[in-house]
Amino acid sequence: QVQLAASGGGVVQAGGSLRLSCVPSGRTFSDAGVAWFRQAPGPERGLAEREIIAAISWDADTTYYTDSARGRVTISRDTAKNTVYLQMNELKPEDTAVYYCAADRTPRRPYIATPWYEYDYWGPGTQVTVSS
């Protein structure tokens, strides 16, 4: 099954940092944009409840950040390693969530898509817990 697996989560204190990694299995995604989403604890667990945090275009020329992430989060991709990273600094308790990565359904899209339904190949997420 083709999917992207997120890793690198953990428990950190407020103000700390984490670097998440996104690695695909089954194929490369060098022609697809990749986005990081998160899902906060709660009763609703569907894809629609996942919030986009950051995204990077297939050619790494363009990045996108939500207002809550901008200035604290950096997304990057290493084509040689076929890996997308999410560096998160100044973490806050409200950043606590399961973090997922996914690839754009449209190869070489000329802009960054933000709705969750534009993304596919969801794999296992990684838990990030920020203590106060």
Side-chain angles (χ1 to χ4, degrees):
Q1 182 179 1
V2 178
Q3 60 179 218
L4 281 76
S7 63
V11 179
V12 296
Q13 291 188 331
S17 299
L18 282 174
R19 188 177 79 158
L20 307 184
S21 298
C22 173
V23 179
S25 62
R27 56 160 284 190
T28 63
F29 287 90
S30 58
D31 61 349
V34 174
W36 282 94
F37 292 78
R38 69 184 181 188
Q39 190 160 25
E44 300 298 325
R45 305 295 294 175
L47 289 177
E49 280 68 49
R50 296 181 181 182
E51 171 195 13
I52 191 169
I53 298 300
I56 189 166
S57 60
W58 67 274
D59 57 3
D61 278 354
T62 308
T63 55
Y64 166 85
Y65 299 97
T66 58
D67 289 343
S68 64
R70 192 173 295 112
R72 301 188 298 126
V73 168
T74 302
I75 188 170
S76 61
R77 65 191 303 164
D78 185 329
T79 302
K81 295 183 178 180
N82 203 25
T83 302
V84 175
Y85 301 100
L86 188 71
Q87 176 68 44
M88 302 191 295
N89 302 320
E90 301 175 29
L91 284 163
K92 305 174 182 179
E94 51 264 44
D95 293 319
T96 295
V98 178
Y99 285 70
Y100 301 88
C101 56
D104 194 331
R105 296 175 180 269
T106 301
R108 304 194 175 210
R109 191 190 297 264
Y111 60 90
I112 289 182
T114 57
W116 65 269
Y117 49 80
E118 297 288 3
Y119 290 85
D120 204 345
Y121 309 107
W122 302 88
T126 187
Q127 176 72 48
V128 171
T129 302
V130 184
S131 61
S132 58

